Structure formats: structure tokens, C-alpha cells
Amino acid sequence: MEPQQAQILDGKLVAEHTLQKIMHEVEGLKSKNICPKLSIILVGENPASISYIRQKRKSCEKVGIIDDQINFSETISEKELLNKIKELNKDNSVHGILVQLPLPKHINERKIIEAINPVKDVDGFHPVNIGKMFLGKDYEELSPCTPSGIIKILEYYKIDVVGKEITIVGRSNIVGKPVSTMLTNRSATVTTCHSKTKDLKFHTSRADILIVAIGRANFITADMVKEGAIVIDVGMNRVEDPNSKTNYRLTGDVDFENIVKKAKAITPAPGGCGPMTVACLIENTIKATKILNSII
Ligand code: GUN
């Protein structure tokens, strides 16, 4: 008998599908003389940040959003950065503002995020947007992109979450906490695990859907996963690989090779949540453009 092989949940494909739909919306906006514009701020030269921004800008160009990258040196003061954000908040030609994280240690990330006009906060990190999400699905407006991407992938593959046992490993403000809220809004039974969780395997192995966003390569092994589970791997870790030209390769948080034989469906990493995060950022930029122009 052939060994069982999980269905691959193809984030690139779903992202492409999402971008195609957005492309038509951009055409509609342009016919009304509205040209969506996203301003991206990069502080310093973090290689991962540069690579993420490159992908975001590529998708902007694909759908016809104006992308404007603003680079600052690592030594910029918090005040100067706040002034730039104030300027972009006032600029009516700008619909989305994204400050790529992490920021240098001398800059207070929270202060920067809170300075962004919540209506232009396409990352969905502002407390106003996080707070709205807490009130229920109908209040979700500009939601964080990775959680939205996860929900979109589940919807595309018709994976119902109502009443499902969903375990999330990781409680970050960017992924773990918001995806937990959004799935509760959609009537799943959610357990959020973290570094202080007493018996992690107990929680992961009873999950119908397991979402992992912990930032450690191969952290979840096959023995921690229920037979026939759906596995969503949010991780993107650089691990040494002497066979690679760059001397490293990218890998997720789960042991894909072994879990693929046990799960019902699994996202690859790369090629799963990453492209979906970018697609949802583009979607948020269009949503912000519409809100700012009183179209929704
Ligand atoms: N750094 C890692 N992920 C993200 C993200 O989704 N948005 C921003 N702004 N910075 C990040």
C-alpha cells in the first residue's frame, strides 16, 4: 500500500488567486481616479526585512498599487521616525503605512505603531484595530495579515473551523494572539500554548487543526500531531546548509518530512503562510483606500 501523503495547502496558489481578485478592484478604483499607495518604512539593513519588503513591493507592482519605500539609517532617532509617520498620516495620497519590524533597540516599537493613523495601519497592529477584532467577526477591519492569511487558506480549501479543536503554538501579538481571537470569532474551540505550557504534546496531539508560530525550526515533531490533523506552519527559520549557495536554507517550525505522512493536510514553508501574509497586506491596503475614500 502507498504511504499516506497529506494534501499540500498551497499558499502561493491561494495568494495568486487573491491578488487576481484585487487587481480588478484596483482597476475599478483607478477608473474613479483613486490610486492606492502604500508607504513602507525600513530602518537599518536587516537582511530578512529587506527580503520581506522586496516581496511586498513585488505584489504591489503586480496589482497596480504605488509602493513607496522610505529608508532610514539604523541611527535614526525615535522623534525623527515619529515625524515621518505624522507626515504620512497627513498625506492624502498615502493609504497604507507599514513600518517593517524589528526596529533598533533605541526605538520603542509600540510608540511607533501607535503613531500610525489606525485607518492607514495596513499591518493591523494598532491597538484600535486589535481591539475591534476582539468584539467579533463583524468588527474585524484591518486585521493582522498572517492570521488573515491563515483563515483565507482554510476557507479556500473548504476546511471548516466551526466546533473544531484548534491548538495554536505561540502567543505573539502578530500571529498567535490575533489568530486565536479570529478563530474564536469563527466558532472554533481554541487553545493557545506558549513557553510556560505544562504539557505541550497533550494539547498539540488532540488538535484537529494545529497552527505553529513559535520561530524554531522542527519544533513540532510527528509524535506531537494527531493522525489526520490539519497543520499550518507559520515558521520561517534560517538554518545552516553547506549545500546551499547562500550557506543557509529556509524552513518552518514543523518537521514537514515526517508530518506530511501523518497529517490530512499541511502548509509547506516556504510557500504556505508567507505568500498569504503578503496577499493580505495588499488586501488591507485596498480596504484602507476604500475606507479613506468613503467607499466602504
Ligand atoms: N516583521 C516580521 N513580520 C512583519 C509584518 O508582518 N509586518 C511588519 N511591519 N514587520 C514584520
Side-chain angles (χ1 to χ4, degrees), residues 21-246:
K21 273 203 283 192
I22 295 173
M23 223 180 270
H24 295 299
E25 287 202 58
V26 174
E27 279 167 19
L29 288 167
K30 285 187 176 168
S31 71
K32 294 188 177 83
N33 274 328
I34 300 165
C35 202
K37 179 173 169 183
L38 172 64
S39 289
I40 301 176
I41 298 179
L42 171 66
V43 180
E45 292 169 9
N46 179 323
S49 292
I50 291 170
S51 159
Y52 288 141
I53 290 180
R54 195 179 305 123
Q55 288 160 30
K56 290 169 185 179
R57 294 190 69 186
K58 222 165 110 182
S59 293
C60 281
E61 278 152 31
K62 192 172 205 165
V63 301
I65 293 175
I66 301 173
D67 56 306
D68 171 32
Q69 183 173 339
I70 303 156
N71 296 316
F72 288 114
S73 101
E74 185 88 19
T75 57
I76 187 182
S77 70
E78 189 177 275
K79 182 94 185 288
E80 280 173 281
L81 190 53
L82 286 169
N83 284 341
K84 186 67 199 179
I85 291 169
K86 276 185 203 154
E87 185 190 312
L88 295 171
N89 281 342
K90 280 193 213 134
D91 185 340
N92 288 331
S93 75
V94 173
H95 306 96
I97 303 169
L98 183 155
V99 180
Q100 190 64 34
L101 304 177
L103 291 171
K105 287 208 168 52
H106 67 277
I107 297 176
N108 181 332
E109 252 173 37
R110 266 286 122 210
K111 217 165 156 181
I112 298 301
I113 290 168
E114 287 175 27
I116 299 172
N117 176 355
V119 185
K120 296 190 180 187
D121 166 41
V122 286
D123 259 326
F125 295 163
H126 193 285
V128 165
N129 290 319
I130 294 287
K132 277 186 184 165
M133 196 176 68
F134 210 78
L135 298 172
K137 186 170 175 273
D138 294 344
Y139 294 85
E140 290 173 9
E141 209 158 61
L142 294 175
S143 309
C145 304
T146 304
S148 298
I150 293 170
I151 306 254
K152 225 180 243 303
I153 257 194
L154 294 172
E155 284 173 354
Y156 183 89
Y157 285 99
K158 300 194 171 23
I159 298 167
D160 189 19
V161 300
V162 176
K164 295 283 168 63
E165 288 289 339
I166 302 188
T167 297
I168 298 163
V169 184
R171 57 169 160 183
S172 70
N173 289 331
I174 294 182
V175 186
K177 274 191 259 179
V179 80
S180 160
T181 302
M182 289 171 81
L183 288 165
T184 303
N185 287 347
R186 286 158 181 78
S187 302
T189 302
V190 181
T191 304
T192 308
C193 301
H194 43 77
S195 55
K196 299 285 189 291
T197 296
K198 286 211 174 99
D199 187 352
L200 181 64
K201 189 173 168 180
F202 167 77
H203 295 289
T204 58
S205 50
R206 65 187 180 85
D208 301 316
I209 302 175
L210 176 63
I211 301 174
V212 191
I214 194 85
R216 283 166 65 178
N218 289 327
F219 184 75
I220 298 291
T221 46
D223 59 306
M224 299 167 83
V225 177
K226 184 167 86 172
E227 191 91 38
I230 312 286
V231 179
I232 307 287
D233 186 356
V234 184
M236 190 54 65
N237 308 290
R238 283 183 181 214
V239 293
E240 270 187 39
D241 182 0
N243 296 323
S244 161
K245 257 192 277 177
T246 51

Side-chain angles (χ1 to χ4, degrees), residues 252-273:
D253 288 349
V254 315
D255 176 5
F256 182 90
E257 260 176 56
N258 289 305
I259 295 175
V260 76
K261 296 177 206 152
K262 195 173 181 187
K264 185 173 176 207
I266 186 167
T267 58
C273 293

